[in-house]
Amino acid sequence: SGCTGLSQKTLTTIGRYCEWVEELFVGKLRDLKDEHLFQVVRGCPRLRLLDLTGCSSLSEQALVEAIPLARKLQRICLSMIPSLSEHALDYLRHRAKGVTFERHLSRWCDPNNLKLYLGSEVPAARTKKVKEGKKGKKKKKGGKK
């Protein structure tokens, strides 16, 4: 995952000649094209796990059409693909019932500004001040202060 230097030619080669591939991590490959996704799912019939996290160039239509073609697929990661709507994701879940779909975010977010995801600002961490007892205070008889 994170092999951002993969070329389109490499993905075409995987789709054409790597029929024994069972797990493919192409996450963060932003310029992964729709046609490469089709080449991979058609050319890798044993594919069980596919991580497409951050492949933001993929279209919703290609995802909806290509994912069901991967007959052995068990798990797919689809975080940070802005073109994929919740409606299309629900459709895919219905169409590919044996597949576990992972999606944590539809697009990258700034960890310092989570208002979009939480609906409000994140309160600053509150620190609890510990009150220290007064030093030198003597106890009264019977154990009371």
Side-chain angles (χ1 to χ4, degrees):
S1 181
C3 296
T4 55
L6 285 178
S7 69
Q8 295 175 4
K9 186 176 180 179
T10 304
L11 291 169
T12 300
T13 302
I14 290 170
R16 285 187 185 159
Y17 304 110
C18 299
E19 66 182 76
W20 292 95
V21 170
E22 293 183 1
E23 297 182 0
L24 186 60
F25 298 85
V26 291
K28 298 181 186 174
L29 193 59
R30 291 183 182 160
D31 55 345
L32 180 70
K33 306 264 187 268
D34 293 348
E35 57 267 18
H36 299 125
L37 176 61
F38 280 102
Q39 288 172 338
V40 166
V41 297
R42 286 184 181 134
C44 303
R46 292 166 181 82
L47 195 61
R48 292 181 298 110
L49 178 126
L50 181 59
D51 186 343
L52 299 173
T53 299
C55 296
S56 55
S57 294
L58 292 173
S59 72
E60 180 177 81
Q61 182 177 354
L63 290 162
V64 167
E65 292 175 9
I67 291 169
L69 298 175
R71 304 265 184 224
K72 302 274 185 183
L73 196 62
Q74 296 173 2
R75 189 172 128 218
I76 187 164
C77 304
L78 297 169
S79 294
M80 296 189 295
I81 302 177
S83 65
L84 184 62
S85 68
E86 288 300 317
H87 177 72
L89 187 58
D90 288 341
Y91 173 79
L92 281 169
R93 285 186 176 122
H94 176 74
R95 184 114 188 263
K97 293 189 189 249
V99 178
T100 299
F101 289 85
E102 291 184 16
R103 187 174 197 201
H104 305 290
L105 295 172
S106 60
R107 61 185 175 268
W108 183 87
C109 75
D110 179 358
N112 296 314
N113 182 9
L114 298 176
K115 186 175 182 177
L116 177 65
Y117 300 97
L118 300 176
S120 63
E121 293 292 332
V122 178
R126 296 180 181 152
T127 57
K128 192 174 184 180
K129 293 183 180 180
V130 179
K131 293 182 181 179
E132 294 182 21
K134 294 180 182 177
K135 294 181 182 179
K137 197 170 185 180
K138 293 183 181 180
K139 291 184 179 182
K140 294 182 181 179
K141 289 183 183 179
K144 294 183 182 179
K145 288 184 179 182

